[in-house]
Amino acid sequence: MLQSHLSILEASASRYAAYPLFRTPRLDVRATSQVDAWDIVTYQHFFHDVEATAKFWARTFAFHSIPQKSVVGLWISGSTYLDLLHVYGVSRAGYIPQLFSLRLPNPVVIYELLHKAGAKALIYESAFQANVADSPVPTFICASRDLMDTSEANLPSFSPTTAEEWAFVFHTSGSTSGSPKLVPCSYKWVDSAICKSGQISRPFNIDHQDVTVSMGSICHIGQTFMFLGSLQHGSCVVLPGTNGFSSNELVNMIERCRINRLNQFASFLANHLRNSRTDCKLLESLQSLDEILYSGLPLARDEEEWANSKGIKLRNLFGNTECGAMLLSIGGKGRAASLLQPLPGTSYTFQPIDGATTPGHHSTGRMLELVILADSPDCPDKSLRHKDGHFHTGDLFVEVASGSYISRGRDDDWIKTENSLRCDTKAIEDNTRSSCNHIIRECVVVGIGRPSPAMFVELTDDSFDHEKVRREVIRKTRHFSSRRYLHERITSPHMIIIVAQNTLPRTTTKGNIRRKAVEEQFKAQLDELYASRHSL
């Protein structure tokens, strides 16, 4: 029998009824950026709140003749307790949540994605009240728990008919052709995610409750996946005020909420590791953790070596939106600690990118693409698979020992930004070249691990006024940028760096600009640019 997020919640609410499930921040009224206390929400309390929220939405949708098993969009931050209530409540009411985070602020794109998913309604945060005036589906404000009247509402019965029935609709974290792709997740997929997250989140000490911190929005697959692991093991999740919390805030949460394991995207973790070189208290706090699980991007080698030398227990979790987690590093202190291995219960293959296959042969040094086979329980929806029936991730690896791999990036033109969301650099470059071909000779988008992308350009004439060129590029590409996620947009002239012709490093054979080489060559300039933007 398949497990689901709802069956796991019900079982855990019974088994761990009085355990803290969430620690939520109560801000100091005198200084809103400071946490005055951390409130506790128990498993039983959350379960009852989810059922009440389900009653509210079931009655609301029934009144508007929206049948069960319809897709319902949720345009929310995904980071608060109320957001979690709505996601799980809408699901418990018998509907399919289609999740949009606030990082996709363009209502036109939201409407297009609702149409593609066949959605029948949209729930939105109050901040978007003015944006949903032209919605093609009925809209409902994201009501707070105390305003939900459930006095005469009934809790509907619901169970999926088949394993292939949709449980959620997520979206790729980057845009293709001006819009993210739908990522439908079936109940079979959710069952697989529960099994995999259960392995990853298994408690270190059964006599003590694990406490971790949310790694992001529930509207994205990372936190959805990790929450399933915490939920089934009776762990507690701290909900920070922001995903990019400071090192001081981290120390505060470790001390006051008794965090013993940290799940965080590599770009945010790297900040803590750098700060720990000069902050003894932070270093001691990181050393005290049973595990630090990072994902999204690889850590820089010097950061990983520093952590290992100081006894900080790191593990790398490799995954994507379509599949959730796929590979986990061995961990420990040995030379093999950082090597990645497929999670048990999956069915993957690593294919040479030239198409050659050699069964049983371990090709040290040869580039291999990770392919999720059709019979793997976490293989994505058929709409996302290759024509051979399998899912080709585009992620490249080298096998350095039998069944152990090192990541070698992606075989495409995507980069991952600071919070591990993907950015289609080629689309930005192509649009810039076509709309600004009278002034731009060549361009390349960079920004791996940065909050947003930046663009280096070579001009058709080096005598052009640089400030005028920057403003012209922003003007010409404004409509294109408006349709993309916030982390994919270049909307400030400061993020356009003009260099002399033939300055950007190129490949010898085809003369293509080498994106990674640009990142490395201009690292100091980029560091200064992003530091100055952050301080504004």
Side-chain angles (χ1 to χ4, degrees):
M1 183 175 180
L2 294 178
Q3 302 177 94
S4 75
H5 54 298
L6 298 174
S7 67
I8 288 295
L9 171 59
E10 184 173 7
S12 293
S14 175
R15 184 176 181 183
Y16 308 111
Y19 281 38
L21 171 55
F22 297 113
R23 297 295 298 270
T24 60
R26 188 194 311 162
L27 299 179
D28 188 332
V29 294
R30 297 162 297 179
T32 56
S33 61
Q34 296 182 10
V35 177
D36 187 49
W38 291 92
D39 295 327
I40 291 176
V41 178
T42 66
Y43 273 78
Q44 189 176 53
H45 187 100
F46 179 62
F47 178 69
H48 289 325
D49 274 356
V50 166
E51 290 201 329
T53 306
K55 292 178 182 178
F56 173 80
W57 286 119
R59 183 173 64 181
T60 301
F61 294 149
F63 179 80
H64 290 273
S65 301
I66 301 172
Q68 274 192 326
K69 300 189 178 182
S70 297
V71 175
V72 173
L74 286 94
W75 196 7
I76 56 179
S77 75
S79 300
T80 68
Y81 177 71
L82 182 62
D83 293 335
L84 284 153
L85 276 188
H86 283 293
V87 172
Y88 272 67
V90 167
S91 182
R92 176 60 186 85
Y95 295 83
I96 305 166
Q98 181 180 11
L99 301 171
F100 306 100
S101 77
L102 303 189
R103 298 195 65 83
L104 187 58
N106 189 324
V108 174
V109 177
I110 297 290
Y111 299 156
E112 290 174 359
L113 293 170
L114 289 170
H115 175 72
K116 289 179 180 179
K120 302 301 182 184
L122 174 65
I123 299 170
Y124 64 93
E125 283 201 5
S126 58
F128 286 120
Q129 181 102 35
N131 299 64
V132 299
D134 299 322
S135 174
V137 296
T139 60
F140 306 91
I141 199 164
C142 192
S144 61
R145 172 67 186 89
D146 56 353
L147 294 179
M148 297 179 190
D149 180 10
T150 60
S151 56
E152 298 180 5
N154 296 316
L155 186 66
S157 60
F158 171 76
S159 60
T161 306
T162 69
E164 300 301 327
E165 192 170 306
W166 289 3
F168 295 101
V169 179
F170 290 94
H171 303 87
T172 54
S173 63
S175 303
T176 301
S177 301
S179 179
K181 289 183 179 179
L182 299 183
V183 181
C185 296
S186 68
Y187 277 90
K188 177 184 176 182
W189 187 97
V190 171
D191 179 73
S192 171
I194 290 169
C195 293
K196 292 192 296 184
S197 62
Q199 300 168 32
I200 294 162
S201 301
R202 187 173 291 114
F204 284 90
N205 186 337
I206 60 173
D207 295 324
H208 294 90
Q209 184 187 32
D210 267 358
V211 182
T212 186
V213 60
S214 172
M215 68 186 304
S217 171
I218 200 75
C219 295
H220 299 292
I221 208 68
Q223 179 53 27
T224 293
F225 183 93
M226 296 309 298
F227 182 57
L228 289 173
S230 298
L231 193 61
Q232 62 187 288
H233 288 303
S235 301
C236 178
V237 180
V238 179
L239 301 178
T242 176
N243 296 329
F245 47 80
S246 69
S247 294
N248 287 337
E249 290 173 294
L250 173 58
V251 171
N252 182 280
M253 287 189 288
I254 292 173
E255 291 179 343
R256 298 174 65 183
C257 300
R258 298 184 179 181
I259 291 174
N260 69 308
R261 60 197 304 173
L262 177 64
N263 304 327
Q264 199 166 36
F265 291 121
S267 300
F268 297 127
L269 174 60
N271 293 328
H272 303 314
L273 294 178
R274 284 192 289 268
N275 293 337
S276 72
R277 294 174 184 258
T278 56
D279 186 334
C280 293
K281 187 173 183 180
L282 172 61
L283 177 59
E284 290 174 358
S285 295
L286 295 176
Q287 290 169 328
S288 73
L289 298 174
D290 289 327
E291 180 181 78
I292 297 178
L293 192 75
Y294 70 91
S295 61
L297 289 166
L299 280 173
R301 178 175 296 181
D302 63 327
E303 292 162 353
E304 191 168 25
E305 290 176 348
W306 159 262
N308 290 332
S309 71
K310 296 299 179 181
I312 297 173
K313 307 171 191 68
L314 293 180
R315 292 191 86 180
N316 179 14
L317 183 63
F318 187 95
N320 61 23
T321 297
E322 295 88 347
C323 305
M326 298 176 287
L327 312 174
L328 182 65
S329 66
I330 295 171
K333 299 180 179 179
R335 295 180 61 183
S338 61
L339 300 184
L340 293 161
Q341 297 180 331
L343 291 169
T346 56
S347 180
Y348 303 158
T349 188
F350 291 80
Q351 295 183 355
I353 59 173
D354 60 3
T357 57
T358 311
H361 178 68
H362 303 298
S363 52
T364 301
R366 185 164 57 166
M367 299 293 279
L368 309 168
E369 182 192 12
L370 171 59
V371 178
I372 314 302
L373 299 178
D375 64 348
S376 191
D378 58 349
C379 193
D381 187 77
K382 292 180 180 179
S383 63
L384 300 167
R385 300 181 192 181
H386 193 267
K387 59 184 178 181
D388 62 7
H390 308 306
F391 179 71
H392 291 247
T393 65
D395 296 305
L396 303 180
F397 298 84
V398 171
E399 187 174 24
V400 296
S402 179
S404 298
Y405 303 86
I406 293 176
S407 173
R408 290 293 186 229
R410 291 186 55 80
D411 189 25
D412 56 23
D413 289 298
W414 294 80
I415 63 174
K416 283 191 175 183
T417 54
E418 183 181 61
N419 48 7
S420 298
L421 303 179
R422 290 165 53 188
C423 173
D424 187 355
T425 57
K426 188 176 185 299
I428 301 173
E429 292 160 359
D430 289 348
N431 175 260
T432 302
R433 291 190 192 100
S434 63
S435 60
C436 305
N437 58 8
H438 59 300
I439 52 176
I440 287 183
R441 177 171 176 257
E442 191 54 271
C443 64
V444 61
V445 173
V446 298
I448 296 174
R450 309 284 189 172
S452 62
M455 182 162 57
F456 283 84
V457 301
E458 294 178 359
L459 305 180
T460 55
D461 186 335
D462 282 339
S463 67
F464 287 160
D465 182 288
H466 288 190
E467 287 302 316
K468 288 184 178 179
V469 167
R470 292 187 184 97
R471 291 196 296 270
E472 178 71 355
V473 171
I474 295 300
R475 186 181 71 81
K476 288 281 190 178
T477 60
R478 183 173 292 119
H479 176 70
F480 172 86
S481 293
S482 72
R483 295 181 57 83
R484 311 190 81 78
Y485 281 97
L486 293 177
H487 68 274
E488 294 179 294
R489 298 182 179 187
I490 299 177
T491 57
S492 168
H494 298 286
M495 305 310 290
I496 299 173
I497 303 102
I498 298 175
V499 297
Q501 292 183 13
N502 300 315
T503 298
L504 299 173
R506 288 165 165 81
T507 59
T508 304
T509 52
K510 296 184 178 180
N512 295 332
I513 295 175
R514 298 161 54 211
R515 191 185 319 281
K516 188 174 181 180
V518 174
E519 295 261 10
E520 294 170 352
Q521 181 175 328
F522 294 95
K523 183 178 184 302
Q525 186 174 348
L526 287 168
D527 288 344
E528 183 177 350
L529 171 66
Y530 284 101
S532 64
R533 295 295 298 163
H534 181 71
S535 63
L536 293 178

